[in-house]
Amino acid sequence: MDVWALWLIIAGVLFVVEMFTFTFYLLWLSIGALAGGVVAILFPDAIFLQVVVGSLVALGLTVFTKPLAARLRSSRGFKDTGTEIVGRQGLVVEPIVPGRYGQVKVGGDTWSATSTEALGKDQKVIVVKRGTTIIEVERWGDTY
Amino acid sequence: MQLAILGIIVVVVVVFIALTIKIVPQQRVGVVERLGKFNRLLTPGLNILIPVIDQVRTYHDLRIQQANVPPQTVITKDNVQVQIDTIIFYQVVGPEEATYGISDYVYGVRNISTATMRQIIGKLELDETLSGREKISSDIRLALDEATEKWGVRIERVEVIDIKPPLDIQEAMDKQMKAERSKRAIVLEAEAAKQDMILRAEGDKQSKILKAEGDKEARIRQAEGMRQAQELEALGQAKAIQAVAEAEKSRIQLISSAGLDERVLAYQSFDALTEISKGAANKVFLPSSAVETLGTLGAIAEVFKASKESK
């Protein structure tokens, strides 16, 4: 059995495993193995060279992943609920007194909220900032 | 020897590449430490790490998670022990705080929810706990938000699945319910009886009134009839008396015109005496000087005559 065939088999197995597990780096390794195979066709005896070339190719591809990742990152993904709460309107459920938390209903959720001014019940507010569980709101529109 | 070196090279390369490229699935986030210090968050998608220097500390699931709190025994304000079964929905919002702010946030969330629940239920009466779920969740929200602000975890909602009062209390509740219902039934029955009696009395009253009216009417009519009859009778009697008197008057006139003298009177008195002797009495006294009396009678007649002539 030729050495290049062995490389090819390794590359194929890696590629199949990659398709099943989707870890991404096995793809680079399988391409590295292919490169090793190409070297093996040219120099069937220099096993050391084959391995080094294969490793170098795989490493090079890995380094090249960074710009690729940056490009992929710019594509829109799912945002979690918290990040998009800022700028939304809400309704005061429990009156807010400065220094004490009140409650504001935004969408379907009730949030604990603070504000720089006292706000009564049923006051329309807009979310300006968000901590982990507590949001900061401002008066919005006319008072009730 | 050469093979060993080759093997080592291959292994190193494979491990290096494996540690460099990290794919994070959607809604998960990794916390990266660079030499033990927090560096950045791994966002979903393709990520490049520098092996050896960078290390992923933990991964967090950003989806809303549920934790079932095992049934707790809670004491209400009116000293009833109730078994309360709650479920918590929480979400990791700040992965950084969730990693460094608290050692085990799941455990923490469970404990704080249970403790807060206890506190809130302890302020309520039993009846309020069974019906006031809105209030419970609103109170719990405030207490939990203050606590979990530093944990990077937001407790979305705490839902009370089940509140089980103890068996004897439950029985008492059943009894109360039954009593309420039977009370209603009895009251309704009493109402019905009352109505029935009232209606009967009304009927009675009306019938009596009508009867009395009838009686009165009848009596009045009867009296009217009596009065008329008596009036007629009196009239008849009056007429009869008048007729009798008229006859007497004419008789006397006839007698007087016939001329009454002593002899006729004497004769008639004798007649009367015989009539008397025929009576049932045993003894009859006859006056010895009957003739003399008759003589006196004659004298009286003379006096009458004289008085008539003087007129």
Side-chain angles (χ1 to χ4, degrees):
Chain A
M1 190 168 185
D2 286 333
V3 182
W4 63 266
L6 201 70
W7 279 111
L8 204 63
I9 287 165
I10 291 170
V13 168
L14 283 173
F15 190 69
V16 169
V17 172
E18 159 63 31
M19 280 199 292
F20 273 108
T21 59
F22 196 68
T23 52
F24 210 76
Y25 59 84
L26 288 177
L27 180 65
W28 298 155
L29 285 174
S30 80
I31 290 170
L34 274 180
V38 169
V39 173
I41 290 168
L42 298 174
F43 313 98
D45 296 331
I47 304 258
F48 190 77
L49 185 73
Q50 291 162 23
V51 171
V52 168
V53 167
S55 304
L56 281 177
V57 166
L59 285 175
L61 282 169
T62 306
V63 172
F64 168 70
T65 312
K66 199 167 173 63
L68 184 73
R71 237 198 17 252
L72 285 173
R73 181 151 313 287
S74 61
S75 62
R76 272 190 77 249
F78 181 84
K79 286 202 176 68
D80 88 294
T81 48
T83 51
E84 59 183 35
I85 198 173
V86 174
R88 282 179 70 182
Q89 279 187 45
L91 206 66
V92 178
V93 184
E94 295 279 322
I96 302 170
V97 183
R100 275 193 57 234
Y101 297 129
Q103 282 179 29
V104 174
K105 196 162 188 158
V106 184
D109 284 331
T110 317
W111 294 76
S112 292
T114 59
S115 180
T116 48
E117 51 193 331
L119 296 170
K121 204 179 166 186
D122 287 341
Q123 166 74 47
K124 275 190 190 159
V125 289
I126 191 162
V127 184
V128 285
K129 214 176 79 191
R130 176 186 171 216
T132 304
T133 57
I134 293 161
I135 55 175
E136 198 173 306
V137 293
E138 261 181 15
R139 187 188 296 273
W140 175 263
D142 40 351
T143 55
Y144 282 89
Chain B
M1 184 68 215
Q2 209 191 28
L3 268 179
I5 291 169
L6 280 181
I8 287 167
I9 287 175
V10 167
V11 166
V12 165
V13 166
V14 168
V15 168
F16 186 87
I17 292 172
L19 286 178
T20 304
I21 296 174
K22 273 270 182 289
I23 288 187
V24 180
Q26 183 67 56
Q27 284 299 75
R28 279 175 72 82
V29 77
V31 180
V32 179
E33 287 175 351
R34 179 158 290 178
L35 296 174
K37 239 177 81 178
F38 173 76
N39 176 259
R40 66 204 158 102
L41 295 175
L42 285 189
T43 47
L46 196 56
N47 289 280
I48 302 292
L49 290 176
I50 302 165
V52 185
I53 301 175
D54 285 348
Q55 188 203 352
V56 179
R57 166 99 179 237
T58 48
Y59 286 104
H60 287 296
D61 198 333
L62 293 186
R63 292 171 302 180
I64 293 177
Q65 293 165 65
Q66 308 173 30
N68 218 332
V69 181
Q72 302 279 335
T73 309
V74 184
I75 297 173
T76 60
K77 192 178 174 183
D78 41 2
N79 293 327
V80 183
Q81 287 200 347
V82 290
Q83 279 246 319
I84 194 158
D85 206 348
T86 49
I87 190 162
I88 313 162
F89 295 88
Y90 63 94
Q91 185 180 21
V92 176
V93 189
E96 206 182 323
E97 290 103 325
T99 315
Y100 300 107
I102 181 166
S103 62
D104 182 352
Y105 65 85
V106 179
Y107 196 55
V109 161
R110 274 190 194 192
N111 282 342
I112 194 98
S113 305
T114 315
T116 316
M117 202 74 188
R118 251 171 221 281
Q119 221 175 28
I120 285 161
I121 299 281
K123 286 181 196 161
L124 298 175
E125 309 253 319
L126 177 65
D127 289 350
E128 286 174 318
T129 58
L130 295 174
S131 57
R133 293 191 183 196
E134 277 288 316
K135 190 179 182 305
I136 292 176
S137 51
S138 154
D139 283 358
I140 241 177
R141 145 107 12 257
L142 202 66
L144 291 179
D145 279 354
E146 279 185 50
T148 58
E149 172 69 12
K150 295 184 201 70
W151 303 357
V153 177
R154 177 175 141 77
I155 294 170
E156 294 286 336
R157 53 188 57 212
V158 176
E159 290 294 340
V160 179
I161 299 177
D162 198 6
I163 296 180
K164 276 205 195 86
L167 269 180
D168 48 350
I169 298 272
Q170 232 165 347
E171 271 170 30
M173 280 172 153
D174 278 352
K175 272 186 193 158
Q176 190 187 342
M177 192 262 294
K178 273 183 199 153
E180 284 275 341
R181 293 202 177 274
S182 55
K183 174 186 154 187
R184 254 190 267 168
I186 289 166
V187 166
L188 279 173
E189 262 173 45
E191 281 275 334
K194 177 182 156 186
Q195 290 258 351
D196 169 51
M197 276 170 148
I198 286 171
L199 282 171
R200 270 171 210 269
E202 283 273 333
D204 217 27
K205 175 183 159 186
Q206 284 201 355
S207 79
K208 273 183 179 161
I209 286 172
L210 281 172
K211 228 187 232 173
E213 291 257 325
D215 271 2
K216 178 180 156 188
E217 196 76 10
R219 282 215 192 129
I220 287 171
R221 296 252 170 114
Q222 243 170 358
E224 285 268 329
M226 289 262 284
R227 189 180 102 189
Q228 283 185 2
Q230 277 175 352
E231 270 177 12
L232 284 171
E233 225 170 293
L235 274 178
Q237 272 185 354
K239 273 191 175 159
I241 287 167
Q242 231 174 359
V244 170
E246 288 276 335
E248 192 73 23
K249 182 182 155 190
S250 61
R251 177 184 151 215
I252 288 169
Q253 272 177 351
L254 284 172
I255 288 173
S256 64
S257 65
L260 265 180
D261 56 1
E262 289 154 32
R263 273 170 297 190
V264 174
L265 271 175
Y267 171 75
Q268 276 197 338
S269 63
F270 275 115
D271 256 7
L273 280 175
T274 55
E275 283 290 316
I276 290 166
S277 66
K278 276 179 191 165
N282 295 335
K283 293 172 182 171
V284 178
F285 295 94
L286 283 177
S288 51
S289 53
V291 184
E292 284 146 72
T293 34
L294 287 173
T296 53
L297 279 172
I300 290 165
E302 291 291 331
V303 172
F304 270 101
K305 272 182 192 165
S307 65
K308 267 186 185 171
E309 278 165 6
S310 69
K311 274 180 188 176

